[in-house]
Amino acid sequence: MTACDGLRIVHAHGDRITVTEPTTGVELFSYVYRPEAAWEAPKPYLHPVRTLKGDVVTDYRPNDHRWHKGLQLTASHLSGQNLWGGNTYVHGEGYLALPERVGSMAHAAFDEVSSDGDRAVIAERLTWHPYTGELWADEERRIEVHDADPAAGSWALTWTSAITNRRDEPLRFGSPTTAGRETAGYTGLFWRGPRAFRDGRILGPEGEGPGLMGGQAPWLAYSAEHDGTDGHATLVFAHAPENDHAGTGGTHPAHWFVRNEPFAAVAPSWAFFDELELAPGDTLTRRYRVVVADGAWEREEIAKYLQDHPW
């Protein structure tokens, strides 16, 4: 356990790491890294994620998609394998139960688990595998918790992943849309909201609503009202400017996957319309920020927050 006047970390070795904001006493999230069901493409995830008021803003193993777990990095189509979980989309045949295509992202080691009070850090090494178990990729992941502000009712995390291809052939990152299904470009960092967030408000810099699906923008926000307690929460998802220029082949802009029906979900997809190819030995780096706030933030509040908290 790391204890200080600021953010506190408790590490239950082999299971999870929990970060707590001491002023409110709220556990902001648990980072769960123990492996789970093979059919669900085992991988680490954050759940429950909470606002500073203590309201939960993630879902876990919902009955419609058991492999949706809080906030997690995913790869729905990766060189013919499914590191997303559940059924696999096959063009012309729909979603099929193909367990021989379901892989995993496995925890290897932690390089750092620390807090200096204002910032907590989880730095982890992972390995990516197809169903048959070979090493396809190494990942260096860094999750930083920062800007916890009880007075403003918000806190933030920055998620950085650097994925290195260890195969002797390119890794092809895709999505159901690159495989032929329209407006289903989900892959990459993925958030599943709680059931109460269904039909929530989707807001971007220049528009709002489900029509932002597949669009490009530096950020996207989702706000909704809680069950059981009064009030709303807003999550702001932003991707770093360099994301559009990282990886093999030059530019590869992110497009937003977002839904508020039949459930709440957001992903800054790295392969919505086009496959992203990573050559042997090359590294794909992506950096994201997620702001978790109490209240229903408007566009002006979001823009000001991001301006005041630059990358």
Side-chain angles (χ1 to χ4, degrees):
M1 175 176 175
T2 299
C4 56
D5 292 336
L7 296 167
R8 296 197 299 265
I9 295 176
V10 174
H11 188 177
H13 290 270
D15 183 13
R16 67 187 62 209
I17 296 168
T18 302
V19 178
T20 299
E21 198 287 315
T23 303
T24 60
V26 169
E27 292 184 356
L28 300 180
F29 64 82
S30 287
Y31 182 74
V32 183
Y33 63 93
R34 57 173 163 74
E36 296 192 353
W39 174 243
E40 297 168 8
K43 63 182 74 67
Y45 59 88
L46 275 70
H47 177 80
V49 178
R50 295 183 175 91
T51 70
L52 285 172
K53 285 185 177 179
D55 294 312
V56 176
V57 293
T58 49
D59 205 352
Y60 171 76
R61 297 191 76 243
N63 59 26
D64 50 56
H65 294 80
R66 295 295 189 193
W67 47 95
H68 288 185
K69 297 173 183 176
L71 179 70
Q72 57 183 340
L73 189 72
T74 67
S76 59
H77 287 241
L78 184 70
S79 295
Q81 287 283 300
N82 169 2
L83 275 66
W84 173 270
N87 293 339
T88 300
Y89 179 77
V90 178
H91 187 52
E93 300 180 64
Y95 284 91
L96 304 177
L98 300 172
E100 69 276 10
R101 294 196 188 184
V102 179
S104 63
M105 300 177 184
H107 166 76
F110 288 111
D111 291 325
E112 181 181 356
V113 178
S114 67
S115 172
D116 66 3
D118 293 330
R119 182 175 294 256
V121 174
I122 301 170
E124 182 185 26
R125 281 175 280 140
L126 303 96
T127 53
W128 292 25
H129 306 272
Y131 174 80
T132 47
E134 304 97 304
L135 176 64
W136 272 19
D138 291 321
E139 180 191 345
E140 293 185 1
R141 179 177 298 181
R142 186 177 180 89
I143 297 172
E144 301 177 69
V145 185
H146 52 92
D147 293 309
D149 187 343
S154 64
W155 64 276
L157 69 83
T158 297
W159 180 309
T160 305
S161 284
I163 303 145
T164 302
N165 181 6
R166 296 305 184 194
R167 302 183 78 194
D168 293 330
E169 57 187 277
L171 274 176
R172 300 187 313 277
F173 295 79
S175 66
T177 295
T178 67
R181 184 187 173 201
E182 292 185 1
T183 63
Y186 54 82
T187 192
L189 189 69
F190 180 80
W191 167 76
R192 171 68 189 253
R195 291 191 182 277
F197 279 31
R198 181 176 176 176
D199 197 31
R201 185 185 185 195
I202 301 165
L203 190 65
E206 297 180 354
E208 67 177 275
L212 297 179
M213 170 76 85
Q216 292 177 261
W219 61 265
L220 186 145
Y222 195 108
S223 63
E225 188 173 7
H226 302 292
D227 278 342
T229 61
D230 292 331
H232 293 69
T234 300
L235 285 87
V236 182
F237 303 87
H239 65 91
E242 72 269 18
N243 286 359
D244 289 347
H245 306 283
T248 305
T251 62
H252 198 96
H255 295 78
W256 291 101
F257 174 86
V258 59
R259 284 180 176 166
N260 62 1
E261 290 288 348
F263 51 79
V266 176
S269 175
W270 52 30
F272 195 111
F273 295 110
D274 302 299
E275 285 192 339
L276 188 159
E277 186 173 290
L278 187 65
D282 278 6
T283 298
L284 173 71
T285 301
R286 289 291 186 265
R287 188 162 59 118
Y288 306 100
R289 182 162 296 165
V290 181
V291 183
V292 180
D294 288 300
W297 283 15
E298 296 293 336
R299 183 178 289 111
E300 294 74 15
E301 290 177 85
I302 296 167
K304 185 176 188 309
Y305 180 95
L306 295 175
Q307 182 179 10
D308 292 344
H309 300 81
W311 288 97

